[in-house]
Amino acid sequence: MELSRVAEPARARTLSDLNGHTPVHVVWEITLACNLKCNHCGSRAGKRRIGELSTEEAFSVIDQLAALGTREITLIGGEAFLRKDWLQLVERIAGHGIRVGMQTGARALNHARLEAGKRAGLFGIGVSIDGMKELHDRVRGVVGSWHDAIRAIEAAKAMGLGVSCNTQIGAETIPELEPLFNKLIEAGATHWQLQITVAMGNAVENDHLLLQPHRILELMPLLNRLYHEGVQRGLLLTFGNNLGYYGPYEHHWRGLGDESMHWTGCAAGQNVIGLEADGTIKGCPSLATETYGGGNVRDTAVAELWNTSEALHFGRMRNIDSLWGHCRTCYYADVCRGGCTWTSDSLFGKPGNNPYCHYRAIQLEKRGIHEKIRKVAEAPDKPFAIGRFELYEEAIPGREILPATLLPAPRFAERTLAEPLPQLSLCRACHEYIWPDEVTCPHCQADIQQAEKDYAIAEVKRHQVMAELNEVLGRLRAYSGVV
């Protein structure tokens, strides 16, 4: 499979979507009822929320989202299919031509439920699997949940539904990723979304599950290798909003092969809507309700909330003034704007300083530093609650700590908040993104124009080699009688 043949999901954002703030993708928690007991569950799911929307109220929300231009809705929980009218909601969404999927833990998601979902218009399912059998069952709190998840993938694949997998990456996950990658291909998944486990809800109590930030250096090269292998084997790796941010692999995966697409800051309230089961609306489904709840769809039209609620579209107004710590000093500060709001806010109680950044980890390692987190306060016992963590630095053993002045200085564009974000270019020597007016790469000191020329020459040679190889293979097939 070539990158050019990878079909973009309906939620993929165009530049028009980015600049026009189209709510392309909605993630809708339709109930908090759940049949798993996940140790890292941010919403602390289990029992239904008090005051969940009625069927008719949910229908009205669906109609309003269609009018706003939403192209994809993902139903989540808790466990979405435990809501009695879930099939009616699927049918209503699909009737608008909106792609509807369901994120599931897959316990008791049997063939009959999947068939009923497909008849109602369900496009596909995303099954949450957090490692191989022992780790997954332990983290998810139910023995047998891994086998249920794999069987759901196989059954959905057999009946023609789209099949993806979502994996949270925690402290024990990295050694499990490659065997899980192979198992997902065997089971029939076509997409695999990965994200870092975030310090929210149950994950605060079980903070031993959280990945230490410096281990991004170990994680990202592995994901890069699996990404390219997956393209060849039919499993497309996609990366959640708290993974990546620049570094030498950003140009491969953020735009699904389109190098002009790079991280442009938190999408919460810009192209994403999160809905809670009681009608609370947020710019991202994962954000803390008390801080980021932007109103309730029972009280106010969705379009009005989308266009006027400051809590909802805070991301549209964010600039470098909200950044602090290392992120405030970063070369990419003006474009990245601190990475994932959810990750930073859950750790520190405010956005703008995200240690789970590949570029940041690389720069700090150059200075002889690793970053770590430790818990200093527990989270309240309620959905989407956060505790408090502190960030600290450790010297890499045997290394001298070098001054921060050795790192590339931040760049800022003179623009209003209403103007489009800067479009970065790519240094062909080190594969880091750079501001388009750079003459010398601030990351590798290469001459930008010369690197571009060298790359063009190498591309011509590569295409020639591939053409010659294909010609040889064609002759071999003809000789052996293989068509």
Side-chain angles (χ1 to χ4, degrees):
M1 183 192 301
E2 296 177 2
L3 279 173
S4 59
R5 297 178 186 172
V6 173
E8 288 194 351
R11 71 183 72 168
R13 297 175 294 163
T14 65
L15 287 175
S16 175
D17 293 328
L18 290 169
N19 293 323
H21 303 303
T22 304
V24 172
H25 185 210
V26 175
V27 181
W28 190 353
E29 168 211 287
I30 59 174
T31 183
L32 267 187
C34 192
N35 52 16
L36 291 174
K37 303 174 183 178
C38 301
N39 294 333
H40 53 17
C41 181
S43 62
R44 299 188 191 272
K47 298 180 180 180
R48 291 184 57 187
R49 268 189 197 274
I50 297 173
E52 292 185 354
L53 295 176
S54 69
T55 302
E56 289 303 318
E57 287 172 328
F59 281 172
S60 175
V61 171
I62 292 165
D63 297 344
Q64 293 177 67
L65 292 172
L68 278 170
T70 296
R71 299 198 292 269
E72 182 171 353
I73 295 177
T74 302
L75 302 180
I76 64 170
E79 185 57 79
F81 66 77
L82 295 181
R83 178 168 166 140
K84 293 181 179 179
D85 62 357
W86 77 281
L87 293 172
Q88 293 173 260
L89 303 187
V90 169
E91 187 173 18
R92 186 77 165 213
I93 295 167
H96 281 289
I98 298 172
R99 179 175 290 185
V100 53
M102 180 175 68
Q103 186 62 36
T104 175
R107 186 185 182 200
L109 182 56
N110 54 34
H111 193 276
R113 282 192 168 113
L114 285 169
E115 283 281 13
K118 182 179 179 182
R119 287 195 300 272
L122 188 69
F123 172 82
I125 61 170
V127 181
S128 297
I129 306 181
D130 291 330
M132 299 302 285
K133 179 180 179 299
E134 188 279 329
L135 176 61
H136 176 88
D137 283 1
R138 174 160 47 86
V139 171
R140 293 279 166 176
V142 176
V143 174
S145 59
W146 189 84
H147 284 302
D148 283 350
I150 295 298
R151 280 195 294 265
I153 290 175
E154 293 170 341
K157 181 71 172 181
M159 65 180 65
L161 287 168
V163 187
S164 65
C165 173
N166 283 39
T167 296
Q168 292 198 33
I169 301 172
E172 300 177 73
T173 316
I174 294 177
E176 309 260 322
L177 290 174
E178 188 156 10
L180 180 57
F181 168 82
N182 290 317
K183 184 62 181 179
L184 294 178
I185 292 173
E186 177 188 325
T190 59
H191 292 73
W192 187 19
Q193 179 171 309
L194 300 113
Q195 67 181 43
I196 301 292
T197 297
V198 171
M200 175 174 274
N202 292 347
V204 181
E205 293 178 13
N206 300 292
D207 57 300
H208 62 279
L209 295 176
L210 300 177
L211 188 74
Q212 286 293 344
H214 70 90
R215 294 192 65 198
I216 290 288
L217 295 166
E218 175 186 354
L219 173 66
M220 299 307 281
L222 171 62
L223 292 184
N224 182 61
R225 178 170 63 81
L226 294 181
Y227 173 82
H228 289 287
E229 185 177 338
V231 167
Q232 300 302 319
R233 296 176 63 187
L235 181 65
L236 178 64
L237 276 65
T238 59
F239 298 87
N241 290 333
N242 67 1
L243 253 182
Y245 323 127
Y246 306 103
Y249 312 130
E250 174 76 9
H251 67 292
H252 289 311
W253 52 51
R254 190 69 61 185
L256 300 177
D258 180 357
E259 293 178 348
S260 68
M261 298 295 290
H262 53 74
W263 176 258
T264 54
C266 175
Q270 300 189 72
N271 302 109
V272 176
I273 289 177
L275 282 170
E276 294 182 359
D278 63 359
T280 300
I281 189 169
K282 300 184 291 188
C284 168
S286 304
L287 289 169
T289 308
E290 290 187 2
T291 309
Y292 294 97
N296 195 293
V297 297
R298 278 193 171 112
D299 307 321
T300 310
V302 176
E304 183 176 344
L305 291 170
W306 178 249
N307 291 317
T308 64
S309 172
E310 291 186 14
L312 186 64
H313 59 68
F314 67 92
R316 305 181 205 177
M317 308 302 293
R318 176 176 295 173
N319 57 27
I320 58 171
D321 294 336
S322 67
L323 303 183
W324 56 282
H326 185 91
C327 284
R328 184 64 179 81
T329 67
C330 178
Y331 177 80
Y332 296 107
D334 199 19
V335 183
C336 180
R337 294 175 293 166
C340 173
T341 301
W342 173 39
T343 305
S344 177
D345 190 77
S346 297
L347 285 170
F348 310 122
K350 59 181 178 178
N353 189 26
N354 187 347
Y356 290 101
C357 166
H358 190 209
Y359 175 77
R360 170 174 175 157
I362 291 171
Q363 300 308 306
L364 289 172
E365 187 178 51
K366 289 178 181 177
R367 292 184 54 211
I369 293 170
H370 281 163
E371 283 188 311
K372 294 186 176 181
I373 56 169
R374 58 188 163 215
K375 182 170 62 177
V376 295
E378 295 286 356
D381 186 16
K382 55 186 177 181
F384 300 105
I386 62 174
R388 192 71 73 245
F389 287 73
E390 67 178 8
L391 183 67
Y392 65 100
E393 297 179 348
E394 280 190 355
I396 299 173
R399 294 276 302 276
E400 176 188 0
I401 296 181
L402 302 176
T405 52
L406 295 176
L407 304 182
R411 289 285 308 271
F412 307 113
E414 294 293 332
R415 72 179 194 282
T416 67
L417 290 172
E419 290 179 300
L421 290 165
Q423 185 69 38
L424 302 183
S425 302
L426 191 65
C427 171
R428 293 299 182 181
C430 66
H431 304 296
E432 292 281 10
Y433 280 94
I434 55 175
W435 287 73
D437 61 347
E438 299 279 20
V439 176
T440 301
C441 177
H443 310 293
C444 70
Q445 285 69 56
D447 180 288
I448 300 300
Q449 287 189 348
Q450 187 60 50
E452 191 69 40
K453 291 177 182 176
D454 293 343
Y455 174 80
I457 293 170
E459 278 291 279
V460 170
K461 290 181 178 178
R462 187 178 71 85
H463 286 298
Q464 288 174 343
V465 170
M466 290 301 297
E468 291 170 2
L469 178 60
N470 287 331
E471 184 178 349
V472 171
L473 290 174
R475 291 173 184 168
L476 289 173
R477 292 191 189 100
Y479 179 77
S480 61
V482 176
V483 180

